[in-house]
Amino acid sequence: MSKTSNFNMGKKDILIVDDTPDNLRFLATILNQQGYSVRKALDGQMAITACQNLLPDLILLDILMPEMDGYAVCEFLKANEQTQKIPVIFLSAIDDILDKVKAFEVGGVDYITKPFHAEEVLIRVKNHISLRAAEQKILNLNIELENRVQERTLQLELTNQELKRELYERQQLQGQLLYRAFHDPLTNLSNRTLFMERLDDAIKLTQVESDYQFAVLFLDCDRFKVINDSLGHLVGDELLIAIGKRLQILMRDSDILARLGGDEFAICLEKITDINYAKIFADTILKELSAPFKLSRAEVFISASIGIVLGNRNYNNPQELLRDADTAMYRAKTQGKSRYCVFTDDMYQQAIKLLQLENDLKRAIERQEFIVYYQPIVSLSTGRISGFEALVRWQHPTQGMISPVEFIPIAEETGLIAAIDTWVLKTACIQLRNWQKQKLVDEDVSISVNLSVRLFSQPNLLEIIDQAWREIQLNPQNLKLEITESAIMENGEAAAVILQQLRKCQIQLSIDDFGTGYSSLSYLQRFPVNILKIDQCFINTLESNPRNTGLIATIINLAHTSDMKAIAEGIETPEKLAQLRDLGCDFGQGYLFSKPLAAKSIVDLLASSPHW
């Protein structure tokens, strides 16, 4: 491997490794603007080849890449003497503690989560370039010292004085490096490295002192991203500094407070009597953070979710402690935020199960383990099937059929939902076209497909939808897209353009779960919607809660007044069907007609010529 490097030249060379061209362009642009020389690689092998040609001063390395992931690339570079000192900053959309720990275990010096923030990327790059420069300076100083000792043997006294001066500089520099290595550059709090060392010391104390107890608190700020995105990163940084100062006031001398990264903080409470002390401390933090933060540009309010774990001799390493505290913190978030939660063994088992399910879900897309079920949509005026809603199901190879309630939230959180939605869209269109060719359904029978927020925000959404019906020559009037109110309202201007273009193709648009979201008359006027789908929560209590009759009637009248149709979900009894017919509802679906069925069972259902 070549030893060539331009580290000592004026322009620092940075190698960006990411299989997503958009990420490469974004990072290259902001780094070029700062005067860095940037090279790009789309995969791990290209990255290794690039290092063989010219040693970079810093590598920004994506974790999730095909064939050879970021961890493998880093391990390869660290195993080679020529490349082992190149600092590697990992890039990933996964903000999981286990992935972060692994990144540092294989030799990474830092970890940046996606989506990128230019300010964060630049400061981290600058810091590590500076650290590398400082290390090189120390190396050069040592070499220079050795040469001078050999060359100036006759001027021993002068050489000794020079040595003392340069040794002092080196000590000062080493002191600065040491401080930077163990402290967060933004808040000046301890960083992850120092915090993990302290946790390791605490774990060792539990092995020798039977009555020694400590607790770890993992704190994540609620709504920080909203503040950061709306008021800017400078305000976000100022808020993080202010949060750190408030927390620091609460600490005892024996405790340690660290910023782990982003808006995550960790606290180690040493020499405590029991878990109650940690609970009281967490309550104190929540109260302290509830007061407004008066920053230079704005006054903001923020809360936090806190996970607590009690340290004991059963823990073998700091990573396990931080993992469990992180797990408890996420439980606190799911319970409503602005609270604390104490870790239990059940949480860990659930977290492992969830992680396994997430890994299986990624493979499920590759292995095509998904099945589309179809639930009939019935015309309440004729009693005949007028369409079907396509609903995805997961046939797990070992666990059997997994409910969408379990895997859809994971798919949404990990970004896999867009790929699943795209597959369901294509599969459902093909299935309807096949039924038409087989003369099993009339030409006006439609297929309804749900679009998630993630897929709706895809820049190539129109191309995906167009490809789904055009290639199989399906009449676009047979396709109905169901979109939630939140998907539309997240980016109203862009949504209006997309919906108008879909309407030009004669694709019908339905608002799913109407009545549970914004339910705003303004967006019904702005957007070209064809159908309002009344959420089944209203239908479920139709008989027991007469008030819902008026609400449903209002929605139906609103739809008809706006030249739209209304569909009622969750019809399960003849009584509810009769009521909805009396209210003038156009369509309905529910177990009274049929539960969602596989395509083969739908064929059997159609053969029976059902009528309700």
Side-chain angles (χ1 to χ4, degrees):
M1 185 174 287
S2 172
K3 298 182 181 180
T4 304
S5 171
N6 73 347
F7 187 87
N8 291 321
M9 301 178 188
K11 203 169 187 179
K12 304 306 178 188
D13 181 72
I14 298 177
L15 176 63
I16 308 172
V17 188
D18 197 311
D19 62 338
T20 304
D22 287 344
N23 291 341
L24 288 175
R25 284 192 292 271
F26 173 75
L27 293 172
T29 299
I30 64 173
L31 291 171
N32 279 326
Q33 290 173 351
Q34 297 300 313
Y36 296 109
S37 173
V38 177
R39 291 182 290 151
K40 294 174 280 188
L42 285 167
D43 57 42
Q45 191 54 56
M46 287 178 65
I48 292 173
T49 302
C51 290
Q52 290 173 338
N53 295 332
L54 178 67
L55 294 179
D57 301 313
L58 178 71
I59 299 175
L60 298 177
L61 179 59
D62 187 25
I63 292 178
L64 296 179
M65 295 188 295
E67 299 182 2
M68 189 177 192
D69 64 18
Y71 297 136
V73 175
C74 187
E75 288 178 326
F76 180 91
L77 296 175
K78 295 302 177 182
N80 188 287
E81 183 178 355
Q82 298 298 325
T83 58
Q84 62 184 200
K85 293 188 179 298
I86 302 172
V88 176
I89 299 177
F90 279 100
L91 311 173
S92 177
I94 303 174
D95 193 21
D96 185 83
I97 186 63
L98 297 178
D99 296 279
K100 294 178 182 178
V101 169
K102 185 173 180 180
F104 289 104
E105 286 178 344
V106 299
V109 299
D110 210 338
Y111 190 104
I112 302 176
T113 56
K114 302 175 183 177
F116 302 121
H117 298 295
E119 294 85 351
E120 180 185 7
V121 172
L122 292 175
I123 192 65
R124 290 179 185 268
V125 168
K126 180 180 177 182
N127 284 343
H128 288 289
I129 288 289
S130 298
L131 285 172
R132 182 88 194 277
E135 292 170 354
Q136 189 66 39
K137 183 177 179 181
I138 291 174
L139 179 61
N140 293 339
L141 284 172
N142 287 333
I143 295 172
E144 185 180 354
L145 286 173
E146 293 174 2
N147 291 336
R148 289 182 180 178
V149 169
Q150 295 174 2
E151 294 170 359
R152 300 182 182 180
T153 53
L154 298 179
Q155 303 176 11
L156 183 58
E157 184 60 32
L158 182 60
T159 302
N160 285 338
Q161 293 177 0
E162 186 68 13
L163 275 173
K164 288 178 182 180
R165 182 186 65 80
E166 293 180 359
L167 284 172
Y168 175 76
E169 286 184 0
R170 186 172 71 175
Q171 289 171 352
Q172 291 291 100
L173 189 58
Q174 286 176 331
Q176 294 175 10
L177 284 172
L178 191 62
Y179 185 85
R180 290 182 183 180
F182 289 109
H183 289 82
D184 173 54
L186 177 65
T187 62
N188 282 324
L189 297 175
S190 301
N191 63 9
R192 179 186 297 272
T193 303
L194 182 56
F195 188 75
M196 299 299 267
E197 286 190 7
R198 287 287 296 272
L199 287 189
D200 190 52
D201 293 339
I203 291 172
K204 291 176 181 177
L205 277 174
T206 63
Q207 308 296 326
V208 296
E209 297 183 20
S210 58
D211 60 344
Y212 176 76
Q213 290 191 91
F214 70 99
V216 176
L217 281 68
F218 193 107
L219 183 151
D220 183 89
C221 299
D222 302 324
R223 295 181 60 256
F224 176 78
K225 187 176 185 300
V226 175
I227 295 171
N228 210 34
D229 291 346
S230 59
L231 299 179
H233 297 294
L234 292 178
V235 174
D237 288 347
E238 188 181 356
L239 177 58
L240 290 173
I241 294 170
I243 291 171
K245 289 180 178 178
R246 282 199 191 177
L247 295 175
Q248 190 72 58
I249 294 173
L250 305 178
M251 300 296 116
R252 302 172 301 175
D253 291 341
S254 59
D255 301 331
I256 180 171
L257 166 66
R259 180 185 176 222
L260 301 182
D263 59 335
E264 294 177 345
F265 296 83
I267 299 167
C268 179
L269 302 176
E270 295 200 65
K271 298 178 183 179
I272 65 173
T273 53
D274 53 37
I275 193 65
N276 288 327
Y277 179 86
K279 292 180 179 179
I280 294 171
F281 192 85
D283 273 327
T284 304
I285 291 175
L286 294 174
K287 182 179 179 180
E288 185 70 24
L289 294 181
S290 65
F293 287 85
K294 296 181 180 180
L295 307 177
S296 59
R297 300 185 185 180
E299 180 179 84
V300 299
F301 290 84
I302 199 164
S303 60
S305 298
I306 303 173
I308 304 173
V309 62
L310 188 64
N312 57 61
R313 62 180 60 194
N314 294 327
Y315 284 101
N316 298 313
N317 57 64
Q319 288 82 8
E320 294 176 355
L321 269 167
L322 208 58
R323 174 201 65 197
D324 291 349
D326 190 19
T327 298
M329 182 274 294
Y330 275 107
R331 177 62 62 89
K333 277 194 178 295
T334 60
Q335 291 178 349
K337 302 179 181 179
S338 189
R339 65 190 64 208
Y340 69 81
C341 187
V342 179
F343 175 79
T344 64
D345 290 335
D346 287 343
M347 290 182 192
Y348 176 69
Q349 296 303 324
Q350 291 176 16
I352 291 297
K353 180 181 178 182
L354 198 63
L355 179 62
Q356 184 60 53
L357 202 62
E358 180 181 325
N359 292 335
D360 291 348
L361 188 61
K362 294 175 181 177
R363 288 191 287 267
I365 297 174
E366 301 170 2
R367 299 173 182 175
Q368 297 186 347
E369 295 171 359
F370 293 107
I371 304 171
V372 177
Y373 273 35
Y374 303 88
Q375 186 172 34
I377 298 174
V378 175
S379 169
L380 300 191
S381 61
T382 66
R384 297 293 186 183
I385 294 175
S386 64
F388 300 91
E389 180 179 2
L391 300 165
V392 67
R393 298 292 185 265
W394 181 10
Q395 183 67 48
H396 193 281
T398 59
Q399 299 182 35
M401 195 70 75
I402 297 180
S403 168
V405 176
E406 293 186 53
F407 73 84
I408 291 297
I410 300 174
E412 290 174 340
E413 184 177 346
T414 56
L416 298 172
I417 191 66
I420 295 174
D421 279 355
T422 302
W423 179 84
V424 171
L425 175 65
K426 293 180 179 179
T427 303
C429 288
I430 291 171
Q431 183 62 72
L432 178 61
R433 187 70 184 115
N434 288 339
W435 285 338
Q436 290 176 343
K437 291 177 179 178
Q438 296 167 19
K439 306 299 182 182
L440 295 174
V441 298
D442 295 334
E443 290 296 323
D444 61 348
V445 169
S446 63
I447 191 75
S448 298
V449 182
N450 293 281
L451 293 188
S452 64
V453 175
R454 185 64 70 96
L455 182 58
F456 192 70
S457 62
Q458 293 291 316
N460 62 335
L461 173 66
L462 293 172
E463 181 183 340
I464 292 171
I465 296 172
D466 187 73
Q467 189 179 43
W469 63 267
R470 193 179 296 277
E471 288 185 357
I472 60 172
Q473 298 181 332
L474 178 71
N475 188 337
Q477 293 181 350
N478 294 136
L479 178 59
K480 296 180 179 178
L481 300 178
E482 297 191 4
I483 309 166
T484 62
E485 294 168 292
S486 59
I488 292 177
M489 299 305 291
E490 254 191 29
N491 193 340
E493 296 303 323
V497 174
I498 292 172
L499 296 180
Q500 290 290 352
Q501 289 177 304
L502 290 174
R503 278 299 299 273
K504 286 181 180 178
C505 297
Q506 297 183 307
I507 294 172
Q508 297 196 50
L509 304 169
S510 172
I511 300 297
D512 198 13
D513 301 332
F514 186 80
T516 62
Y518 296 90
S519 302
S520 170
L521 294 178
S522 63
Y523 84 70
L524 290 180
Q525 292 175 334
R526 290 174 58 201
F527 303 126
V529 178
N530 304 96
I531 302 164
L532 297 184
K533 200 164 190 181
I534 306 170
D535 190 79
Q536 62 182 342
C537 68
F538 297 104
I539 310 301
N540 290 341
T541 57
L542 183 60
E543 295 166 324
S544 61
N545 187 357
R547 183 182 178 188
N548 274 359
T549 303
L551 291 173
I552 294 171
T554 300
I555 295 174
I556 294 172
N557 291 333
L558 173 64
H560 292 169
T561 303
S562 304
D563 197 25
M564 293 183 285
K565 302 294 184 182
I567 299 179
E569 294 183 290
I571 303 176
E572 298 181 354
T573 66
E575 291 76 17
K576 290 179 181 177
L577 174 59
Q579 282 182 283
L580 289 164
R581 275 176 169 155
D582 290 342
L583 292 172
C585 190
D586 303 287
F587 302 97
Q589 66 184 104
Y591 277 27
L592 176 63
F593 309 120
S594 172
K595 64 182 181 179
L597 299 171
K600 182 179 179 182
S601 298
I602 289 293
V603 172
D604 296 336
L605 177 66
L606 293 170
S608 67
S609 300
H611 182 273
W612 292 275

